[in-house]
Amino acid sequence: MIRIQNLHMVYQTERGRVHAVRGIDLDIKQGQFFTLLGPSGCGKTSTLRSVAGLETPEEGEIFVGNDLVFSSTTRKVVPPYSRDIGMVFQSYAIWPHLNVFENVAFPLREMKRRFSQQEIREKVDRALSLVHLDGLADRPAPFLSGGQQQRLALARAIVKEPRVLLLDEPLSNLDAKLREETRFELRELVKRLGITTLYVTHDQLEALTMSDVVAVMEEGRIAQQGSPMEIYQSPQDRFVANFIGLTNFIDGRVKPSPCETASIRQVETAAGDLSCVLEEGMKPGDPVIVVVRPEDIRVITDAKPRHNLFQGKVNAVIFMGDSLECQVLVGSQRLRTKLHPSSAVQQGQNISLELPAERCRALRGS
Amino acid sequence: MTLSRLQLGQYAVFLFVSLLVSMPLFFLVLGSFSTAKLPTDFSLDTMSLQNYVKVYSDPGTFELFTNTLIYVTGSVAIGITISFVLAWLVERTNMQGKIWIYAGVPMTLAMPGMLQAMAWVLLLSPRIGFINKSLQSIFALDQAPINIYSLGGMVFIEGLRLVPTAFLMLVPLMRSMDPSLEEAAAVSGARPLSTARKITLRLLAPGLVAVMIYQAMTALEVFEIPGILGLPAGIYVFSTKIYAVVRSATFLPAYGLANALAMVYLVIALVTTYFYTRMISRVERFTIITGKGYRPRQFDLGRWRYPAFALVLLYLFLAVLLPFLVFAYVSFLSFLQAPSVAALQTLTLKNYRFLAQYGEVGSALRNTLLMVLVTATATVILSFFVSLVVVRSKFWGRKLLDQLAFVPHAIPGIVMGIAFFWVFLKVDFLPIYGTVWAMAIGFTAGFLSYGTRSMNAALLQVHKELEEAAYVSGARPWRTLWRVFLPLMMPTFVGVWIWVVLHAVRIAGLPLILYEGPQNQVLSILIWNMWDEGYVPAVAAIGTLLMLSLLLLTVAVRYIGFRRQLVQSPAV
C-alpha cells in the first residue's frame, strides 16, 4: 500500500547539509500497522513527512496505493493535498478558530466530490463516535483536554476514509496513564477500519504493543525490520538490542568446536566460556557480542549441574515496583537480572546465575 | 528547472519589495549628484559632487547639526525622564489611581503632533499666546516671557510627545524584573537606595539605553514639531531644512541640494538604527525576563502618594487635556482672543459651518479617506505576504527580504518623501506624480517595516502543523490561506490596519513633499496650509474633529484589545 524505494533526504541547515535519510526501502502491505521506531534525529519523521508530501526528498520513489506520488527521476511531486492521506500530528494541530465539528468536517469540505450538509453531518458524527467524542461537536476546539484533542485529530484524519493513515508521535503529548489506554484503542480502531497505518515513535513500548511490523531506524537507515517479537528476541545488532529493552552485553570470541554448523556453540568471554546461539558463517576467533535479556537470566539455588552457570556477587539491588533489578558482578563483567519483587537477595551476597544458551545470542562484534 | 507557482509567487514578492525599497534609495543617491534645476532635467552629464561641497562648506550646516543635536538630546532627556517616572510609579510603587496612567498615557498617542504644536503656539506664542498674554498683564511685562518658537519650545513639546511610546516600552521592562534579584541585595545588607542604584538601575540600564536610542530615532525623524515651531523662526533641524530647501517660498527649489542633505540625514538615521539593533541584541543577552508571572515588590510611597498622583495628572493635563481644550475653545471663536467672560459670550458655530461649505475640506476628506484606506490595506496585504515568505518558506532570499522590509524603519519620512518624489517624476509611465496614490505608495513603503515585524511575530505564533494539517486534509494553498491563516491572523490584520490608519492620517511631512496642487490635498496638508495662511479658528475646528475621531478610534482599538500593536516598537 505504501512503497518507498531508495529514499534519500538532505536538509540545509545553518551548520551545513544534514543527510537525514540515507536510502530507505519499505513495503507496507494493505491494512498493516507499520511502525518506524528510533531515537530523535534518526530520520523517521522525515520519512513520514515525505510520504505525506510535506517534505521533498532528494532521491527515491514513493508509491501510495498504485499511484506514484514522488519520483526523483521523473521529478514528479504530488502535493500533500492530492495524496488522499490522513495524518495526526504530534501537536495535534487542531485549528483553534473552528469548533470540533468544523475541524472534522474540514477534509470533507476540501474534497473534489461535493457532499451534502446531511452527508457531512453523518460522516462527522460517525468519526466522532468512533473516537468517543460524541456530543462534543459544538464545543470550541481549544476547550478540549489533551486526550480529547488527540482523539479529535484522529477523527479528522479518518473522516474521509483515506487509503493510508500517517501518525507522527501522536501519543507523546499525553500523560502516562492515558497513553497506555490510548495505545490499545488506537490500534483497535485502525484495525477495525482496515486502514494501512504508518506510525512514527521513539517509544519502544508503543512500537512493540501496537505494530504488525516494526522498522528500527538508526542514522537515516533501517537497522532491522520485523515483527515486534523478532525485533525484541532476535536483535541483529548492538544498536537494536540496546535501543529496545534492557540488555546485557558480553564481549567474547568464538571458540573452535567440532561441529562448525551447530547453532549453539561456545564463546570465550572474560567471565568464562558461554554456550550461545551463533549466526551462520561465524568462524572460530571472530569477535562477538553476546546479548542476553535481564529477564532471561535465572538465579539458581539448587546444586544440579547446568550449562552456562556463573558465580557472582550481588553488587546492587534496585526495587522497581513490579520487579527487582539485581546487578551481579561475575569477575569484572556486570550482569543485570530482573527478579520477582519478593526474591530474597541482599547486596554482597554470592549468587549463581544461569544464562540459558538458547536465550544468549552472539552478534558480530567490531 | 521550471518554477512552480509557489516559487513564482515568492519571486514576485521579493522583486516587488526590492523595487519598492531600493528604487527610491537609488534615485535619492543619484539625485544627490545632480546639478540640474529640476529632477526632470536630470541627465548623467550634469552629475557632480557640487551639492556635497555646498552642503559641507555651508556654515549653516554646522548650525543644522548643533540644532538637531540639541533638539534630539533635549527632547529625549525630557521624554525619558517623564516616562521613567510614570512607569516606575505604576509598576513599582503603591501609587493611587494607576488605571488613569495605563488608560490615559496611550491616549496621547492619538493626538497628532502637528495639532499639539499648534495648540502650544496658541498658548505660548509671543504675539498671541494666551499664557503669555495673561502673564504679561499680571506682571505688567513689556515683552512676552516665553517664546515657543525656539529650540526650547521644540524640545519641550517633542519631549512630551515621546512619553507614551517610551512609557509603553518601559513598563514591560520594569514588570519583567525578577524581584528575587533585589531581595538578594536586601538580604546581603543593601539598603533600599543602594539596592536601587546598584541592582535595579544596573539591570534596567541596557533596556533603558535601547529605549533612549529608539526615542532619539523618533525625535530625529519627526517633521511636524520643528515644522510648526522652528520654521517660522528660521530654526532648522534636518527634517525641516530639507523641506525648506524643496518647498519653502523663500528659497529657489534646489532638488540636488536637498538630496545631498537627505543623504547626510539618512546616514545619521542609519547609524542610530545600527546602534539600536545592536543594543537590542545586547538587551536580549542581558535578559531578565523569565516568563514567570510575578509581581515585583512595590515601593511604599507613604505620604508622597498624593503628590505623585498629582504629578501624573499634571502630565496628562499638559499632554492631552490642555491642547484639546485650547483647540475646542478656539474652534468656537469668530476671531482669536484670549479666554475671558466676554469671549465666552461670543462663541459661535461659524467655523464648523465654514468647514462644511469650504470646498477644499470636502476634497481633502475624500483624498484622506482614499489615501488612508489604500495605504492601510496595501500595507497589511504586502506585509502578510512578505512575512509568509520570510517565516514560512524555504525561499533562498528570505533573510534578505526580511532585511529589505526593515530598511524603511531607518529612513526618515522626509527623506522617503524626497526619494519617492524623484521616483514619480522620473518614472513617468505611471501618471501619479503629486496625487494621493503617490502618497499611498510612499507611506506603504514606510510602514512596511512595522507591518512585517507584527506579521512575523504573529505568524510565528501559528504552529506550522496547523498549516500542514490543512494540506494533508486536502486543502490547496489558497484554500489554506483562506480557511486557516486568515481567521487565525485576523486580530493582527485589524491591529496593523488601524495602526497604519492612525499614523497615515496625521503625518504631514511625506505628503507635503509629494503632493502637488490643491485638488490633491489630504487633511494634514490642508491643516498645515490653512495654519500657514492664518485661518486659525478653522484649523481649530478641523483639529478638534480630527482629535475626537482619532481618540475614538484609539479607544476602540484598546477596547478590542490590540494593545500590543499600538506600541510603536518593532517586535524585539
Side-chain angles (χ1 to χ4, degrees):
Chain A
M1 198 62 185
I2 302 175
R3 207 159 83 241
I4 299 176
Q5 284 166 358
N6 191 31
L7 189 76
H8 282 268
M9 192 128 135
V10 175
Y11 289 111
Q12 294 293 343
T13 67
E14 271 141 35
R15 276 170 293 155
R17 284 161 63 91
V18 174
H19 203 154
V21 178
R22 303 162 182 247
I24 278 188
D25 294 284
L26 283 181
D27 193 358
I28 304 172
K29 302 274 180 295
Q30 167 75 48
Q32 215 167 40
F33 196 114
F34 193 101
T35 298
L36 291 174
L37 172 68
S40 62
C42 71
K44 57 190 192 299
T45 297
S46 301
T47 308
L48 181 91
R49 289 170 61 85
S50 306
V51 176
L54 295 170
E55 310 274 354
T56 308
E58 190 83 353
E59 210 187 311
E61 258 151 37
I62 301 173
F63 291 87
V64 173
N66 291 321
D67 303 335
L68 180 65
V69 294
F70 172 79
S71 165
S72 57
T73 47
T74 61
R75 298 218 59 82
K76 178 173 185 172
V77 184
V78 176
Y81 41 83
S82 309
R83 288 194 181 187
D84 188 21
I85 47 179
M87 180 161 172
V88 176
F89 291 84
Q90 190 174 2
S91 70
Y92 312 141
I94 302 298
W95 297 300
H97 59 293
L98 302 177
N99 65 16
V100 168
F101 183 88
E102 282 303 322
N103 261 287
V104 180
F106 188 101
L108 298 174
R109 297 198 199 280
E110 298 299 330
M111 279 171 86
K112 276 225 179 61
R113 208 193 126 192
R114 289 267 153 209
F115 290 107
S116 69
Q117 286 304 320
Q118 181 62 30
E119 284 170 303
I120 290 181
R121 178 101 248 168
E122 280 166 12
K123 283 175 183 290
V124 171
D125 282 348
R126 200 160 63 90
L128 285 177
S129 83
L130 278 173
V131 299
H132 310 299
L133 283 181
D134 329 55
L136 292 181
D138 297 326
R139 181 145 336 163
F143 290 6
L144 297 181
S145 70
Q148 287 171 327
Q149 287 196 18
Q150 192 270 341
R151 281 181 280 153
L152 172 55
L154 186 62
R156 185 177 67 190
I158 59 175
V159 71
K160 66 173 182 184
E161 293 161 28
R163 287 180 295 186
V164 300
L165 182 61
L166 307 174
L167 302 165
D168 183 10
E169 309 227 4
L171 306 184
S172 62
N173 283 335
L174 300 179
D175 60 58
K177 188 82 188 152
L178 198 56
R179 205 180 308 166
E180 198 181 316
E181 293 166 16
T182 316
R183 274 206 304 265
F184 174 73
E185 270 181 36
L186 183 59
R187 177 181 161 89
E188 204 257 348
L189 177 63
V190 296
K191 279 289 159 194
R192 184 142 51 99
L193 296 173
I195 305 179
T196 311
T197 304
L198 179 55
Y199 189 93
V200 157
T201 185
H202 64 269
D203 185 319
Q204 43 153 328
L205 204 57
E206 282 173 25
L208 295 177
T209 53
M210 298 168 79
S211 324
D212 299 320
V213 179
V214 179
V216 183
M217 287 186 67
E218 180 195 12
E219 292 184 352
R221 293 192 187 83
I222 291 180
Q224 187 176 356
Q225 181 178 329
S227 72
M229 195 80 94
E230 281 166 23
I231 296 281
Y232 187 81
Q233 291 187 341
S234 324
Q236 277 167 12
D237 63 20
R238 191 186 175 114
F239 173 80
V240 176
N242 195 27
F243 189 74
I244 299 186
L246 269 177
T247 306
N248 291 298
F249 294 105
I250 308 163
D251 291 320
R253 270 174 199 285
V254 179
K255 281 185 76 170
S257 78
C259 180
E260 302 258 311
T261 52
S263 66
I264 294 189
R265 285 155 63 186
Q266 293 281 320
V267 168
E268 183 181 9
T269 74
D273 288 357
L274 191 63
S275 310
C276 50
V277 182
L278 247 67
E279 274 176 52
E280 268 177 55
M282 281 188 176
K283 285 184 276 301
D286 283 354
V288 292
I289 304 162
V290 179
V291 173
V292 57
R293 299 275 181 199
E295 64 269 25
D296 291 333
I297 297 180
R298 274 181 236 147
V299 177
I300 302 300
T301 45
D302 56 26
K304 282 186 205 153
R306 293 163 202 266
H307 285 295
N308 286 356
L309 203 60
F310 293 91
Q311 303 299 322
K313 194 174 191 176
V314 177
N315 189 39
V317 181
I318 302 154
F319 179 61
M320 310 279 282
D322 60 350
S323 66
L324 211 57
E325 187 184 315
C326 181
Q327 293 185 6
V328 181
L329 276 177
V330 179
S332 62
Q333 174 75 47
R334 186 164 55 176
L335 290 178
R336 302 166 84 166
T337 67
K338 206 171 169 182
L339 307 177
H340 191 270
S342 65
S343 312
V345 282
Q346 303 272 317
Q347 197 174 341
Q349 179 189 335
N350 287 317
I351 198 169
S352 305
L353 297 178
E354 184 195 6
L355 280 57
E358 69 284 1
R359 294 287 184 197
C360 299
R361 295 181 50 84
L363 309 176
R364 259 174 220 290
S366 47
Chain B
M1 195 181 117
T2 52
L3 292 174
S4 70
R5 269 153 75 185
L6 192 72
Q7 282 167 315
L8 274 180
Q10 291 167 349
Y11 273 100
V13 170
F14 186 76
L15 270 180
F16 188 77
V17 172
S18 313
L19 271 182
L20 190 66
V21 174
S22 57
M23 204 159 64
L25 288 179
F26 171 74
F27 279 107
L28 183 75
V29 176
L30 205 64
S32 69
F33 295 105
S34 161
T35 53
K37 283 253 164 4
L38 288 167
T40 37
D41 299 337
F42 172 80
S43 78
L44 287 176
D45 312 330
T46 56
M47 300 234 319
S48 81
L49 281 173
Q50 194 188 321
N51 295 317
Y52 286 98
V53 173
K54 215 166 164 182
V55 164
Y56 282 106
S57 58
D58 185 357
T61 309
F62 177 71
E63 203 188 312
L64 196 58
F65 269 111
T66 333
N67 281 348
T68 309
L69 190 69
I70 296 173
Y71 159 70
V72 168
T73 46
S75 52
V76 168
I78 292 187
I80 289 288
T81 310
I82 298 178
S83 47
F84 187 86
V85 169
L86 289 181
W88 182 74
L89 283 176
V90 290
E91 285 298 325
R92 306 301 304 271
T93 73
N94 60 347
M95 194 190 63
Q96 309 252 295
K98 291 177 180 176
I99 187 74
W100 284 92
I101 310 189
Y102 285 126
V105 172
M107 287 299 153
T108 56
L109 275 175
M111 169 118 11
M114 190 164 61
L115 298 182
Q116 206 167 20
M118 287 171 179
W120 282 96
V121 167
L122 292 173
L123 288 167
L124 288 174
S125 99
R127 213 163 43 80
I128 54 158
F130 302 151
I131 296 181
N132 271 332
K133 286 288 159 215
S134 38
L135 285 177
Q136 261 175 294
S137 64
I138 294 169
F139 299 107
L141 303 168
D142 294 341
Q143 282 197 318
I146 307 170
N147 182 6
I148 193 76
Y149 293 116
S150 63
L151 260 181
M154 283 155 57
V155 163
F156 171 62
I157 307 299
E158 182 56 23
L160 284 185
R161 303 237 356 114
L162 291 177
V163 170
T165 324
F167 173 80
L168 290 177
M169 290 169 94
L170 285 174
V171 160
L173 257 178
M174 299 224 181
R175 185 176 297 174
S176 60
M177 226 173 70
D178 187 344
S180 63
L181 296 173
E182 286 167 308
E183 286 161 7
V187 296
S188 308
R191 295 178 176 281
L193 260 182
S194 159
T195 303
R197 198 161 46 83
K198 287 182 182 159
I199 306 294
T200 318
L201 269 181
R202 293 284 171 87
L203 287 172
L204 285 176
L208 202 58
V209 173
V211 176
M212 278 163 83
I213 300 178
Y214 185 83
Q215 297 304 313
M217 284 160 70
T218 313
L220 189 66
E221 204 217 11
V222 156
F223 165 78
E224 289 82 0
I225 307 291
I228 296 290
L229 301 178
L231 276 181
I235 303 167
Y236 296 111
V237 294
F238 267 104
S239 55
T240 47
K241 181 72 179 182
I242 292 168
Y243 170 75
V245 170
V246 181
R247 282 288 178 187
S248 176
T250 51
F251 293 87
L252 272 178
Y255 291 101
L257 199 62
N259 282 39
L261 267 174
M263 290 297 290
V264 181
Y265 188 20
L266 182 61
V267 167
I268 298 175
L270 284 175
V271 168
T272 325
T273 311
Y274 170 74
F275 278 113
Y276 178 67
T277 43
R278 278 218 19 204
M279 205 62 217
I280 283 300
S281 60
R282 273 201 51 191
V283 173
E284 273 164 7
R285 248 184 292 144
F286 212 83
T287 193
I288 36 181
I289 298 165
T290 54
K292 267 188 274 170
Y294 43 60
R295 205 70 204 162
R297 207 152 43 123
Q298 301 204 324
F299 184 84
D300 186 8
L301 286 176
R303 282 181 302 146
W304 291 96
R305 288 173 77 175
Y306 299 98
F309 186 55
L311 200 72
V312 169
L313 288 185
L314 178 68
Y315 163 74
L316 286 178
F317 177 72
L318 289 182
V320 203
L321 200 59
L322 189 58
F324 180 74
L325 287 179
V326 170
F327 257 66
Y329 164 72
V330 173
S331 74
F332 291 109
L333 291 178
S334 53
F335 61 94
L336 202 55
Q337 52 184 322
S340 65
V341 180
L344 288 175
Q345 278 163 349
T346 60
L347 293 186
T348 162
L349 279 173
K350 121 184 168 180
N351 296 311
Y352 291 95
R353 275 200 294 275
F354 170 73
L355 289 187
Q357 291 151 4
Y358 190 49
E360 284 185 22
V361 176
S363 76
L365 266 181
R366 277 192 300 277
N367 284 341
T368 307
L369 205 64
L370 178 67
M371 188 265 286
V372 161
L373 294 187
V374 168
T375 305
T377 311
T379 306
V380 165
I381 295 175
L382 185 60
S383 309
F384 174 67
F385 281 107
V386 169
S387 294
L388 208 55
V389 174
V390 168
V391 176
R392 281 298 160 85
S393 80
K394 289 173 180 165
F395 183 62
W396 60 269
R398 60 183 191 277
K399 285 247 170 70
L400 186 61
L401 181 63
D402 196 33
Q403 280 154 4
L404 272 177
F406 186 65
V407 165
H409 185 72
I411 305 175
I414 287 284
V415 177
M416 195 67 118
I418 292 280
F420 270 105
F421 177 80
W422 281 75
V423 173
F424 296 131
L425 272 182
K426 298 299 291 181
V427 184
D428 38 15
F429 57 85
L430 267 179
I432 57 168
Y433 170 72
T435 66
V436 288
W437 296 98
M439 297 174 212
I441 293 176
F443 270 139
T444 305
F447 294 141
L448 189 62
S449 56
Y450 171 78
T452 50
R453 290 323 98 178
S454 304
M455 294 285 179
N456 283 356
L459 260 182
L460 283 172
Q461 300 287 311
V462 179
H463 199 297
K464 190 153 174 45
E465 290 187 349
L466 291 176
E467 177 191 354
E468 291 173 347
Y471 293 143
V472 298
S473 298
R476 285 158 187 284
W478 72 270
R479 289 283 302 168
T480 306
L481 211 62
W482 180 252
R483 292 203 59 192
V484 176
F485 279 117
L486 206 66
L488 287 176
M489 299 277 291
M490 206 31 116
T492 309
F493 286 170
V494 176
V496 171
W497 196 86
I498 293 181
W499 186 92
V500 171
V501 167
L502 278 174
H503 283 76
V505 84
R506 65 189 194 202
I507 291 178
L510 183 126
L512 275 172
I513 298 273
L514 285 180
Y515 98 106
E516 196 66 70
Q519 74 282 7
N520 288 322
Q521 288 186 110
V522 290
L523 219 46
S524 54
I525 299 177
L526 184 74
I527 294 174
W528 178 274
N529 287 342
M530 286 173 82
W531 176 263
D532 234 19
E533 290 156 19
Y535 293 108
V536 176
V539 167
I542 305 183
T544 307
L545 294 179
L546 183 60
M547 281 187 201
L548 276 178
S549 30
L550 289 182
L551 206 67
L552 280 180
L553 201 55
T554 314
V555 172
V557 172
R558 291 188 68 78
Y559 184 73
I560 308 166
F562 302 124
R563 248 170 272 178
R564 249 180 312 157
Q565 272 79 5
L566 266 182
V567 187
Q568 202 179 338
S569 67
V572 291

